[in-house]
Amino acid sequence: MLKLYRINIHVRRGENTEMPADLAGAYVPVFVGAQDHETAAALAVSHRSRQGFEFIDIADGKIHLIDPTSWDTFIQASWPDFVDHFPNQANVVHRLDSEFLCTGPFASYTASGAGDVH
C-alpha cells in the first residue's frame, strides 16, 4: 500500500485555460499516494504542469504524511463546506493499492497581488 501525502503547492495561471482570466494563480492542496515524499512531490507538480499551470513552489515548504484511515475526519475538519468534492475514506484507502491523486479547493488570487485570495 502506498503512503498518503498532502502537498500544498503554489501555481500561476501559466497556459491553463480553465482558470478564469482575472486570476493569476492559486494555492492548492494536492493529495498523492506514493512510496515516498519525493515521488509524491514529483507527481503533484507533474499533474498540475500537465494541466497547464506553472509550478512556483511548495507553499508551506512541507510535504505532509496523512493517515488514510483518518481521511474523512481530516477532510471534515479542514474543508467542511467541500466534503462532497473529495472521495470518501473507503475510496482513498482502496485507491492507495495502486495510485491516488486528487486536489482540494483552490485559493486563487488576482494579478493585482497574492494577498487577494478568492
Side-chain angles (χ1 to χ4, degrees), residues 22-46:
D22 64 325
L23 301 178
Y27 298 90
V28 59
V30 181
F31 300 91
V32 183
Q35 291 291 337
D36 56 61
H37 68 283
E38 291 174 345
T39 303
L43 289 169
V45 170
S46 174

Side-chain angles (χ1 to χ4, degrees), residues 11-26 28 47-55 106 108:
V11 295
R12 285 203 184 108
R13 164 187 271 301
E15 299 292 321
N16 182 277
T17 58
E18 293 179 23
M19 182 180 276
D22 64 325
L23 301 178
V28 59
H47 175 71
R48 292 282 110 193
S49 294
R50 281 192 313 271
Q51 293 179 324
F53 292 102
E54 175 189 350
F55 172 75
F106 281 57
S108 56

